[in-house]
Amino acid sequence: MMKKWSSAWAGLALSYGSIVIVIVLLICSFFYIYFSRSYNEELRNKNQLILENTARTIEGTVLKRVQQLYVDLSLDKSADIRLFADQADRNGLNQVLDLQELLKAKVAANTDIVQGIHLYYPARNIMLSSLYGLRYNADQSEGSVYYEDWLQEMRTSKHNSLWTPARQIPKDIFSTQTSENTNGLFTYAHSYPFRSTGETSDVIIAIDVKEDAVNTIVENMMPSRYQHTVIVNAAGHAVSRLQEQSSGKADIYAASLGKVLDLGHAKGSFDEKIGDAPYVVSYQTLPSTGWTIYSATPSSYYYEQSILIQKLILGICLAALCIGLILSAVLVRANYSPIKRLVGRIKDLSVGTPNEATNEFRLIDNAFLHLKDKVNNLEETMMANSPAVRHKAVLNLLQGNPEQRPWKEERAALGIARLYADYCCMLMNTGAPVEKGPAATPEVIARLMHGLECLSLQDSRLIVEELPDKRLAVILCTDAASEALLDKFSQLLLAETRQQLQPDIQLSTGCWVKDLREIHLSFNEAQTLMKYAYFRPELAILKDHSLLEREHSLEEIPQHLLARFRDKLQSRQLGEATNTIEQVIEHMRAGQSPADYCHFILSNMVFIYSDVAKNVRYKHTLQFGHPDLYHEYTNMHDILAYRRWLTGSITTFMEETENRNSDRAISTIELAKQYIEDNLSEDLSLEAVGSKVFLSPKYLSKLFKEEMGITYTDYVTSRRMEQAKLLIENNNMTIDRVASSVGYGTTAYFIKRFKEMYGCTPGSYVRSLSSTAISEARS
């Protein structure tokens, strides 16, 4: 029995079973905790969102629409709204009929929400209504009780508008049958003219709004909470009770309604016990009226859904546990079979008889320990002749840190049978650019290295090794060093390499050294020269050692070029931006700036371009599928490819940005107008404002002409003149200060523009204001 429970089979079974149980318990606990704490909150947030959408719908489809109807009626020129505003009758019956027809037409156009429109003239106590016709002594006439609430309140109101609570009004106010055919109506009353108060108005325009227009929206958008929804005003009085408005029950929501009003927030949600049951109370304010939509939902609405989810989670976890245990059994059987076969094989190969009570894993461990000793002995033998030894020896030479062992052993590892008089290191870049095709495979590189080392050379020898950066280091060992010999070998290496790799391979050569242990000096020069292959792609062989002087040069790229590059990008001047790129690249190719510094400048240009693109939220599928421009830049194999890429990318960016700007024209003009309004005293040239809204001056001017119907200059001038007029009227300022306050540096030019706009000079305008004030004071 002990043998069975100590076996590998028992260990696997316990391990897999425990893992499955722990994982399922963790998943079950996680889902239970998550949903028990967050699911109810999610449902509450959803409930609040529904209430917000309901309020937004009421605001947009009823309240704002009614207010717009008042504006349309005020601005309508087809009939005179101020018909009875004067003390004496000046108009005939036709004008009264025209005005009443206008009111009826407005009602007919909005019959879904409007019951009627009334014009009340306080000075003469006359009302003209789309429903009741012309009524003299309106506040005392028959049926006046149904509209006296708004009429009396507006006549003494210090405000210019009001919304009345809903009330039941008969369809026929002159009928004695008031219990039937009634409509629930709100009334929106507003003074005319617009800025007058109720007690100073010439006309009071009242619009009867159907309560059903609001109730229908609430019922459609909140069907499950419709009967628990109330609309109250700022004083806490019910404006509309929806379904419960006619019930005879006591107001069970009074306490929670008072709490909502005391909080003073525009919206919110909280738990509240109403009666003997827990509720979730949500509320949302209607900005146009200041009313609050109050909705109470039983808490059981949330718990029922939560319990259903918890039961579902429990069922899923039980199913996962069963499936996991079945899979564990399958895996135990599958994993134990190879262990059993391996143990049997070890027993067959063992010299002695293993202890039968030994655990299978311990038996395997002992076998691997014996095998490890044998493998170590074999590795020591193989390492003496392994190519890895040579690779390591070459890297040590090139890095200037040869291993501390006899030089003969070092030369043997390199395969050099004798010493040579001179040595030189050459470096070849074999990595194919992304746009040129696939990179060379290890098999091709190995074949190329073997072919180069097998070249038949007189009094010379080549040692070729691949470096970690995929470049080939070629060490030329010879007894007759000369520049002609170096050129010959360079051409030979390029010819051999180009047959198997890319045709645009570049090669750099280092200096000659006398001792192979100093080959790292030649290698360092070749590496330095290879840096400039990026900037001189037309050179197949880089051997001009004057390039080495650039490494110590302090020459810099003129900083104004980068500043100009940024400015031209921001102002969308493609030609100037690409010309700046050409100047920078030409300076790098023909100048003396170090390679690393040049790469720093190139990356800075990429970052500048990236910042400009991000500022306008430009998104574009990149050439190589990477999410950033810097990664594209690092894939450029030479500076000419960099120029083509950057120029093409900027061209695409500006074209797509201009196309996109046409879709954003309206919002962009609003931003420009706001900036002009806030900075009238500043520079408002097309260039200055265009840079603030990321548009070219030419395009901004075009947008103003197309969208506003006036030129950009005329718009700015009109805004400055209006501001100047306000400053003259409301401030004791000199003309010079007014001119500077609205952005005119020259007072004479300001006076000229003011006279063109208003027909008089600022001084004359000031004097006319003074005369008017004196006349009013005397009267």
Side-chain angles (χ1 to χ4, degrees), residues 285-305:
T285 301
L286 298 171
S288 293
T289 62
W291 297 344
T292 299
I293 302 181
Y294 167 98
S295 176
T297 305
S299 298
S300 59
Y301 171 80
Y302 304 101
Y303 299 146
E304 290 173 358
Q305 298 188 42

mmCIF file of all heavy atoms in Angstrom, residues 285-305:
data_model
loop_
_atom_site.group_PDB
_atom_site.id
_atom_site.type_symbol
_atom_site.label_atom_id
_atom_site.label_comp_id
_atom_site.label_asym_id
_atom_site.label_seq_id
_atom_site.Cartn_x
_atom_site.Cartn_y
_atom_site.Cartn_z
ATOM 1 N N THR A 285 -31.850 66.399 -12.959
ATOM 2 C CA THR A 285 -32.422 67.738 -13.125
ATOM 3 C C THR A 285 -32.548 68.086 -14.604
ATOM 4 O O THR A 285 -31.659 67.786 -15.410
ATOM 5 C CB THR A 285 -31.536 68.781 -12.416
ATOM 6 O OG1 THR A 285 -31.443 68.451 -11.047
ATOM 7 C CG2 THR A 285 -32.119 70.183 -12.568
ATOM 8 N N LEU A 286 -33.687 68.717 -14.952
ATOM 9 C CA LEU A 286 -33.882 69.233 -16.308
ATOM 10 C C LEU A 286 -33.393 70.681 -16.330
ATOM 11 O O LEU A 286 -33.995 71.558 -15.690
ATOM 12 C CB LEU A 286 -35.361 69.169 -16.691
ATOM 13 C CG LEU A 286 -35.978 67.770 -16.736
ATOM 14 C CD1 LEU A 286 -37.480 67.868 -16.905
ATOM 15 C CD2 LEU A 286 -35.366 66.954 -17.852
ATOM 16 N N PRO A 287 -32.307 70.989 -17.045
ATOM 17 C CA PRO A 287 -31.721 72.335 -16.992
ATOM 18 C C PRO A 287 -32.671 73.439 -17.437
ATOM 19 O O PRO A 287 -32.634 74.535 -16.891
ATOM 20 C CB PRO A 287 -30.509 72.227 -17.926
ATOM 21 C CG PRO A 287 -30.186 70.773 -17.991
ATOM 22 C CD PRO A 287 -31.488 70.071 -17.868
ATOM 23 N N SER A 288 -33.533 73.176 -18.408
ATOM 24 C CA SER A 288 -34.367 74.242 -18.966
ATOM 25 C C SER A 288 -35.388 74.749 -17.959
ATOM 26 O O SER A 288 -35.737 75.935 -17.963
ATOM 27 C CB SER A 288 -35.080 73.740 -20.221
ATOM 28 O OG SER A 288 -34.148 73.488 -21.233
ATOM 29 N N THR A 289 -35.887 73.872 -17.089
ATOM 30 C CA THR A 289 -36.957 74.247 -16.170
ATOM 31 C C THR A 289 -36.532 74.231 -14.711
ATOM 32 O O THR A 289 -37.210 74.825 -13.870
ATOM 33 C CB THR A 289 -38.143 73.286 -16.347
ATOM 34 O OG1 THR A 289 -37.699 71.965 -16.016
ATOM 35 C CG2 THR A 289 -38.643 73.307 -17.774
ATOM 36 N N GLY A 290 -35.422 73.558 -14.400
ATOM 37 C CA GLY A 290 -35.035 73.394 -12.998
ATOM 38 C C GLY A 290 -35.820 72.295 -12.312
ATOM 39 O O GLY A 290 -35.660 72.061 -11.124
ATOM 40 N N TRP A 291 -36.697 71.583 -13.037
ATOM 41 C CA TRP A 291 -37.450 70.472 -12.460
ATOM 42 C C TRP A 291 -36.526 69.279 -12.260
ATOM 43 O O TRP A 291 -35.495 69.147 -12.916
ATOM 44 C CB TRP A 291 -38.608 70.072 -13.365
ATOM 45 C CG TRP A 291 -39.627 71.153 -13.533
ATOM 46 C CD1 TRP A 291 -39.790 72.272 -12.784
ATOM 47 C CD2 TRP A 291 -40.615 71.215 -14.575
ATOM 48 N NE1 TRP A 291 -40.814 73.027 -13.261
ATOM 49 C CE2 TRP A 291 -41.352 72.404 -14.375
ATOM 50 C CE3 TRP A 291 -40.967 70.394 -15.624
ATOM 51 C CZ2 TRP A 291 -42.402 72.776 -15.186
ATOM 52 C CZ3 TRP A 291 -42.013 70.758 -16.448
ATOM 53 C CH2 TRP A 291 -42.725 71.945 -16.223
ATOM 54 N N THR A 292 -36.942 68.373 -11.404
ATOM 55 C CA THR A 292 -36.163 67.167 -11.121
ATOM 56 C C THR A 292 -37.032 65.938 -11.386
ATOM 57 O O THR A 292 -38.165 65.847 -10.908
ATOM 58 C CB THR A 292 -35.688 67.143 -9.653
ATOM 59 O OG1 THR A 292 -34.861 68.279 -9.428
ATOM 60 C CG2 THR A 292 -34.890 65.879 -9.363
ATOM 61 N N ILE A 293 -36.483 64.997 -12.177
ATOM 62 C CA ILE A 293 -37.157 63.715 -12.395
ATOM 63 C C ILE A 293 -36.733 62.779 -11.267
ATOM 64 O O ILE A 293 -35.537 62.502 -11.102
ATOM 65 C CB ILE A 293 -36.801 63.109 -13.761
ATOM 66 C CG1 ILE A 293 -37.170 64.072 -14.889
ATOM 67 C CG2 ILE A 293 -37.533 61.791 -13.961
ATOM 68 C CD1 ILE A 293 -36.862 63.528 -16.259
ATOM 69 N N TYR A 294 -37.683 62.310 -10.519
ATOM 70 C CA TYR A 294 -37.425 61.427 -9.368
ATOM 71 C C TYR A 294 -37.966 60.038 -9.700
ATOM 72 O O TYR A 294 -39.095 59.891 -10.152
ATOM 73 C CB TYR A 294 -38.129 62.016 -8.137
ATOM 74 C CG TYR A 294 -38.237 61.088 -6.953
ATOM 75 C CD1 TYR A 294 -37.334 61.162 -5.913
ATOM 76 C CD2 TYR A 294 -39.271 60.152 -6.876
ATOM 77 C CE1 TYR A 294 -37.434 60.325 -4.806
ATOM 78 C CE2 TYR A 294 -39.379 59.301 -5.774
ATOM 79 C CZ TYR A 294 -38.471 59.392 -4.748
ATOM 80 O OH TYR A 294 -38.579 58.565 -3.683
ATOM 81 N N SER A 295 -37.114 58.996 -9.504
ATOM 82 C CA SER A 295 -37.530 57.625 -9.814
ATOM 83 C C SER A 295 -37.105 56.720 -8.671
ATOM 84 O O SER A 295 -35.945 56.744 -8.253
ATOM 85 C CB SER A 295 -36.896 57.140 -11.118
ATOM 86 O OG SER A 295 -37.223 55.784 -11.359
ATOM 87 N N ALA A 296 -38.030 55.944 -8.131
ATOM 88 C CA ALA A 296 -37.745 54.994 -7.048
ATOM 89 C C ALA A 296 -37.952 53.583 -7.564
ATOM 90 O O ALA A 296 -39.044 53.244 -8.043
ATOM 91 C CB ALA A 296 -38.655 55.271 -5.845
ATOM 92 N N THR A 297 -36.912 52.757 -7.490
ATOM 93 C CA THR A 297 -36.958 51.392 -7.999
ATOM 94 C C THR A 297 -36.766 50.418 -6.847
ATOM 95 O O THR A 297 -35.807 50.565 -6.071
ATOM 96 C CB THR A 297 -35.856 51.168 -9.044
ATOM 97 O OG1 THR A 297 -35.994 52.159 -10.073
ATOM 98 C CG2 THR A 297 -35.971 49.795 -9.663
ATOM 99 N N PRO A 298 -37.611 49.424 -6.676
ATOM 100 C CA PRO A 298 -37.434 48.446 -5.590
ATOM 101 C C PRO A 298 -36.074 47.754 -5.705
ATOM 102 O O PRO A 298 -35.639 47.392 -6.801
ATOM 103 C CB PRO A 298 -38.595 47.463 -5.799
ATOM 104 C CG PRO A 298 -39.619 48.244 -6.564
ATOM 105 C CD PRO A 298 -38.857 49.185 -7.434
ATOM 106 N N SER A 299 -35.410 47.573 -4.569
ATOM 107 C CA SER A 299 -34.087 46.945 -4.571
ATOM 108 C C SER A 299 -34.147 45.506 -5.064
ATOM 109 O O SER A 299 -33.166 44.975 -5.593
ATOM 110 C CB SER A 299 -33.466 46.987 -3.170
ATOM 111 O OG SER A 299 -33.285 48.316 -2.746
ATOM 112 N N SER A 300 -35.295 44.868 -4.895
ATOM 113 C CA SER A 300 -35.419 43.480 -5.353
ATOM 114 C C SER A 300 -35.199 43.365 -6.852
ATOM 115 O O SER A 300 -34.819 42.307 -7.356
ATOM 116 C CB SER A 300 -36.810 42.944 -4.992
ATOM 117 O OG SER A 300 -37.828 43.739 -5.606
ATOM 118 N N TYR A 301 -35.414 44.459 -7.589
ATOM 119 C CA TYR A 301 -35.169 44.454 -9.038
ATOM 120 C C TYR A 301 -33.712 44.097 -9.338
ATOM 121 O O TYR A 301 -33.414 43.405 -10.297
ATOM 122 C CB TYR A 301 -35.514 45.828 -9.596
ATOM 123 C CG TYR A 301 -35.111 46.037 -11.034
ATOM 124 C CD1 TYR A 301 -35.874 45.542 -12.081
ATOM 125 C CD2 TYR A 301 -33.954 46.744 -11.341
ATOM 126 C CE1 TYR A 301 -35.505 45.740 -13.390
ATOM 127 C CE2 TYR A 301 -33.574 46.941 -12.643
ATOM 128 C CZ TYR A 301 -34.351 46.445 -13.668
ATOM 129 O OH TYR A 301 -33.971 46.642 -14.958
ATOM 130 N N TYR A 302 -32.802 44.570 -8.484
ATOM 131 C CA TYR A 302 -31.383 44.285 -8.709
ATOM 132 C C TYR A 302 -30.993 42.909 -8.170
ATOM 133 O O TYR A 302 -30.250 42.154 -8.797
ATOM 134 C CB TYR A 302 -30.514 45.354 -8.027
ATOM 135 C CG TYR A 302 -30.836 46.748 -8.463
ATOM 136 C CD1 TYR A 302 -31.617 47.574 -7.657
ATOM 137 C CD2 TYR A 302 -30.390 47.243 -9.677
ATOM 138 C CE1 TYR A 302 -31.928 48.858 -8.058
ATOM 139 C CE2 TYR A 302 -30.695 48.529 -10.081
ATOM 140 C CZ TYR A 302 -31.477 49.339 -9.265
ATOM 141 O OH TYR A 302 -31.768 50.600 -9.664
ATOM 142 N N TYR A 303 -31.527 42.563 -6.977
ATOM 143 C CA TYR A 303 -31.103 41.315 -6.354
ATOM 144 C C TYR A 303 -31.534 40.103 -7.153
ATOM 145 O O TYR A 303 -30.831 39.097 -7.214
ATOM 146 C CB TYR A 303 -31.661 41.241 -4.933
ATOM 147 C CG TYR A 303 -31.188 42.358 -4.033
ATOM 148 C CD1 TYR A 303 -32.005 42.906 -3.040
ATOM 149 C CD2 TYR A 303 -29.905 42.885 -4.195
ATOM 150 C CE1 TYR A 303 -31.561 43.942 -2.227
ATOM 151 C CE2 TYR A 303 -29.460 43.923 -3.385
ATOM 152 C CZ TYR A 303 -30.290 44.444 -2.413
ATOM 153 O OH TYR A 303 -29.843 45.471 -1.626
ATOM 154 N N GLU A 304 -32.720 40.171 -7.760
ATOM 155 C CA GLU A 304 -33.192 39.027 -8.533
ATOM 156 C C GLU A 304 -32.252 38.716 -9.683
ATOM 157 O O GLU A 304 -31.896 37.562 -9.922
ATOM 158 C CB GLU A 304 -34.599 39.319 -9.070
ATOM 159 C CG GLU A 304 -35.661 39.348 -7.971
ATOM 160 C CD GLU A 304 -37.011 39.807 -8.497
ATOM 161 O OE1 GLU A 304 -37.095 40.144 -9.709
ATOM 162 O OE2 GLU A 304 -37.963 39.839 -7.702
ATOM 163 N N GLN A 305 -31.823 39.743 -10.397
ATOM 164 C CA GLN A 305 -30.884 39.518 -11.494
ATOM 165 C C GLN A 305 -29.533 39.044 -10.979
ATOM 166 O O GLN A 305 -28.868 38.198 -11.577
ATOM 167 C CB GLN A 305 -30.719 40.795 -12.308
ATOM 168 C CG GLN A 305 -32.000 41.271 -12.951
ATOM 169 C CD GLN A 305 -31.777 42.419 -13.912
ATOM 170 O OE1 GLN A 305 -30.827 42.405 -14.672
ATOM 171 N NE2 GLN A 305 -32.654 43.410 -13.870
#
